Every structure is written in structure tokens, then in C-alpha cells.
Amino acid sequence: MPSADVTPGADPTDPHGPAGSDLAGGALVVCVDVGSTFTKASLVDVARGCVVAAAEHPTTIATDVLDGYDACLADLVAHEPRAATAEVLACSSAGGGLRIAVVGNEALVTAEAGRRVALSSGGRVVAVVAVGGTGRGPEPDLETVLGHTSPPPDLVLLTGGTDGGNSEMLLAATQQVVEAGWAGPVVVAGNSEAADEVSRLLGDRPHVVADNVVPQIGVLRPEGARAAIREVFLRHVIGGKGLSSRDEGRSFQAMVRGATPDVVLTGVEVLAEEVGDLGDVVVVDVGGATTDVHSVVELDPETGGLGRDVVAPTPRTRTVEGDLGMRWSAVSTVEVAGLGFLAEQAAARASEPSYLPLTDADHDVDEAIARAATGLAVRRHAGRSAVVLGPGGRVVERSGVDLRKVGLVVVSGGVLRHGRAGVAARVLQGTIGTEAGRDGGWQLPEAPRVVVDSDYVLAAVGLLAEHSPVAARRLARSLLEGAADLRVTT
């Protein structure tokens, strides 16, 4: 097995590192992200809130994902022998990650709310079915979505109705899920007064009842459903993907604390609390299969009120672009971006996801794909603003999340970690700066500080947030204090 690449982190004996702690001195934790392409591991000194060493290895889907983890651990142990006995916390997006089918009542209300919640929970939404219809054409057939999608969803998120409102549509949706032959896990997050009857209809199918995601029109409460989805992922999904056969999968299942995007969003939330005057935060993770954008912003009361949105906006937002990525999705990325001249190189990368650039020409292609994926993903997340003429005169209509005043942009992914000097500025060209969004009215970051998460700190922060919250906060601050940063103005 090839050796993992190991990167030394902060020296745990350095007197100039983070000082003082209310945690056990000298304790180490191995934080692992088992990704679709690479497995990354960080050895964290929880007392000091710093990364001692980081290692990575191609994810070993073809054999057992723990083989790749073992390679990472061996290199961490070579750097610091105590890593051999350190506690392990892991997250995973291997094997397609967490695939969620959302079933709701109305497309613009509960189905849309369910879609947002599924994304914020670390899921990849593979279908959204509004059983009440949209009025714009036929809905996808639920039996086809649940029984004939390849690969199939991992769970169903069932929403519908406000608390105390009409329960008929939620019960009808539940009945349709049952009649479609779905036997997998279900998270129910609809009208709370119908919860008992929904549970009766679901029978012995594994399911968790959470708080309603839309308890009243204009209110979105994702926390309960997000926690329930995490519970289902850990209890029913991660062990069922066949990612590890060691101990019948029990060893890997015991390591995993959540889906990688859910864990990273938790890390972003911690970081947002530590940035101080920098304000709003955006994280762009350019992966092999998807490009994820996470944002934590302060909502504008003039655009975030109940009068503007049937489903209220939330300060924490995540979008997943399943057609934008460096390897598995390289072909669709260049197609969507109109980079047909890179079709052959993109196909080569899709056929060999562990491909690594060796020459300047290879790096140029990787940077072009990353620049396209980043630009498209951030635009889809941010949306546009436009002045329109309404009955009361001119008004500004906005879609997406307004990122113009974002103070910090964090970028991550192998293309940035292993790229040539200045790669972040080249990848972000056309995405950040005062002129970037003018053509088309895109609400893009205008003058943020830009930090490269070269040690995959945010995943570690998310894993430590509940386990060692003080260490998580210190580690988040280290991303600001120790990482290289730059400004992209054009």
C-alpha cells in the first residue's frame, strides 16, 4: 500500500503556540474525513487547539476504507507515536455520501423547506417530490424515485403541513411512501399533530419523528430534523454502504460521527463565532464529486422578513452542486462551464479519480476546472439582485444568499492544498472582487479576506465541537492566525 502524505503541523512543545487550557493537558485526537476521493487525517492537540500533523491517502473504496485510514494513521504515528492510542473521530462522504429524497406537500413551502434542511444536514438531495403538485407539470413518480433510482436514496425526509393545520396531505404522502415499497429509514418533520398517525402508517420501517420544519408559514426550524437525520445516518446508513468489512463494519461505524458536509457546516458555525470584526463567512469546498458552499451570514431584516418568503431564509445555508467537481464530476463541470476544449482532460480525470497533476500543463487544467466549479457554485449559492418596477415603484428583488459584504472566504480541497504558489488567487479569479458580480447582478463577495484551509481544519473543528468545544474554538482561530491569506480584488 502506498504511503500517505504527511504534513507537520504546529509543534506541541512550541512555547509560542496557543497557551493555557481548561482541558486535559497533552490529550490528542485523530480527526478523519473519509472523502469520495481522498481520506484526510489530522492529529489535534486538544489542550492547545492546534494540528500537530496532517496526512492523506486516496480513499480505498475498492478494498476497505479503513485501509486508507490505516495508511494515514501510520504516518501520523511516525510523526508522533502517541497517535497510535489517540481517540478517533471521523466523518464520511464516501460511497456517495448521504443521499436524501425529500417528500413534501407543496413545492414552494414544505418540499422546499425539506430540501433546505436536507442540504444543511449534510445530505445530497437526489429528488424532491411535492405530492400536492406544483401546477407546472407532473411530479416525479414516487415509486420510481424510491425504487428505481440508481443508486437509491439512503433515507426519506417527509415533511408537510404546519402545526395544527391540515394533516391530510402529510398522511397521504406517508401512505404513498409506504405503497411505493420503501423499506428504508424515514425522518418525519411535518405537522406535529399528525405524528402518531404517521408512525402508525410507517409501521416497523425505521423512522425518527422530529419537530416540524415549518411550524407556521414563514418560519423554518431545521434543528430538530437536522439532528434526526444525523441520528439516522449513524444508525442505519453508514453501516449499510459496505464501505468496510472489518469487524462486519463495526469498527468504521464506531469511528464516524456524521456526514462530512454536516460536520463541516458545524465547523463553519464555530468559525463564524470566532471571526470577530470580519463578520460573515463563506466556505467553498472543491471536491472530487461535488462543490459545496457553506455560508453563515447576518440576515438583512428588510429582506429576511416573513412578508418576502413563504419559507423564511436562515443565516446558515449550504448548497451542494453535484455536477461540479474535480474528478468524478469533471466532465459535467467543463460542459456546464462551456470549456469544451478540456473535454478530453476532464474525461481522463473522471476515469481515474486518484489522478494527480505532475506537470505545469496538468496543473493548468486542474486550475481551470476548479475555477469553473468555484465560480458556478458560488453564483448558484449567492443568486442575483435586480431592480424591478412594481406597483409601488422600483424595488430590489433578490434570490439566493447576499454575499457581497462577506468578510471571510475559506477555500478548501486538494486542488488548493497541493497546487502551485498563488493557486487560490487564480481559482477565485472572477468569483471575488468588486467587479466580479456586476455582469448579471450576482451577489458575490466584494472585498473579503481569503484563507486556504490547507490542513482541513474545518472538518476537525466540526468533529471537536461537541467533544471538546474549547479545542474546537481554538482550532478555528488557528485557521485565521496561522494559514496563508490573500486578497482577490478582480
Side-chain angles (χ1 to χ4, degrees), residues 267-276 279 281 296 316 473 476-477:
V268 176
E269 292 168 353
V270 174
L271 176 65
E273 296 174 355
E274 300 298 321
V275 297
V281 176
V296 179
R316 296 162 178 80
R473 292 195 298 272
R477 289 196 297 269

Side-chain angles (χ1 to χ4, degrees), residues 101 126-127 129 140-149 152-153:
V126 297
V129 179
D141 177 68
L142 197 55
E143 183 175 354
T144 300
V145 168
L146 300 183
H148 302 285
T149 303

Side-chain angles (χ1 to χ4, degrees), residues 67-79:
D67 294 340
Y69 161 71
D70 288 344
C72 289
L73 182 62
D75 279 335
L76 294 180
V77 169
H79 184 85

Side-chain angles (χ1 to χ4, degrees), residues 38-425:
F38 280 87
T39 295
K40 290 84 66 175
S42 299
L43 182 63
V44 178
D45 184 328
V46 296
R48 298 166 57 79
C50 65
V51 175
V52 176
E56 63 178 28
H57 186 277
T59 297
T60 47
I61 288 284
T63 57
D64 188 306
V65 292
L66 289 182
D67 294 340
Y69 161 71
D70 288 344
C72 289
L73 182 62
D75 279 335
L76 294 180
V77 169
H79 184 85
E80 168 52 73
R82 291 184 299 153
T85 57
E87 184 176 2
V88 181
L89 306 176
C91 54
S92 175
S93 59
L98 174 59
R99 297 169 56 84
I100 300 178
V102 178
V103 180
N105 181 9
E106 299 168 301
L108 294 178
V109 189
T110 52
E112 169 62 15
R115 186 190 69 84
R116 293 194 203 175
V117 170
L119 287 171
S120 72
S121 304
R124 181 174 178 179
V125 177
V126 297
V128 178
V129 179
V131 297
T134 64
R136 298 192 299 271
E139 281 293 292
D141 177 68
L142 197 55
E143 183 175 354
T144 300
V145 168
L146 300 183
H148 302 285
T149 303
S150 181
D154 294 310
L155 67 87
V156 169
L157 174 60
L158 190 57
T159 66
T162 56
D163 286 344
N166 189 327
S167 62
E168 291 181 4
M169 292 305 297
L170 177 59
L171 296 177
T174 305
Q175 188 63 43
Q176 289 185 38
V177 169
V178 172
E179 292 175 354
W182 178 253
V186 179
V187 169
V188 182
N191 185 343
S192 60
E193 294 189 5
D196 290 344
E197 182 63 15
V198 169
S199 289
R200 187 191 68 77
L201 291 172
L202 290 173
D204 58 1
R205 292 167 182 80
H207 64 276
V208 177
V209 176
D211 292 339
N212 194 350
V213 295
V214 185
Q216 63 188 69
I217 293 296
V219 176
L220 178 62
R221 291 185 181 159
E223 295 83 9
R226 184 177 171 187
I229 290 171
R230 185 183 305 119
E231 177 185 340
V232 168
F233 176 75
L234 294 176
R235 184 184 300 175
H236 300 287
V237 177
I238 195 63
K241 285 183 171 288
L243 299 174
S244 175
S245 59
R246 199 176 301 179
D247 299 329
E248 297 181 340
R250 288 190 294 271
S251 295
F252 180 58
Q253 193 168 359
M255 290 168 51
V256 175
R257 298 299 190 271
T260 297
D262 182 31
V263 169
V264 170
L265 182 56
T266 299
V268 176
E269 292 168 353
V270 174
L271 176 65
E273 296 174 355
E274 300 298 321
V275 297
D277 294 339
L278 286 174
D280 297 343
V281 176
V282 170
V283 174
V284 184
D285 183 11
V286 187
T290 69
T291 298
D292 299 355
V293 182
H294 311 255
S295 64
V296 179
V297 302
E298 182 177 353
L299 295 176
D300 183 343
E302 294 186 0
T303 60
L306 302 183
R308 294 293 185 99
D309 297 273
V310 179
V311 180
T314 58
R316 296 162 178 80
T317 305
R318 170 180 173 256
T319 50
V320 179
E321 307 304 337
D323 60 338
L324 304 177
M326 296 300 301
R327 296 293 181 261
W328 306 95
S329 302
V331 172
S332 54
T333 300
V334 301
E335 288 177 352
V336 174
L339 303 177
F341 61 93
L342 294 178
E344 184 177 342
Q345 295 94 323
R349 284 157 172 78
S351 65
E352 187 182 351
S354 60
Y355 173 91
L356 293 175
L358 299 176
T359 68
D360 280 342
D362 294 339
H363 282 286
D364 287 342
V365 172
D366 264 13
E367 288 180 12
I369 296 173
R371 185 162 49 250
T374 299
L376 288 165
V378 174
R379 280 169 171 77
R380 292 174 183 177
H381 186 96
R384 308 177 190 235
S385 62
V387 177
V388 298
L389 187 62
R394 293 186 175 185
V395 295
V396 177
E397 285 190 349
R398 293 190 173 95
S399 63
V401 183
D402 190 346
L403 304 179
R404 289 174 295 178
K405 301 306 179 185
V406 161
L408 177 68
V409 172
V410 181
V411 290
S412 66
V415 64
L416 293 146
R417 176 180 171 86
H418 299 297
R420 299 168 296 184
V423 60

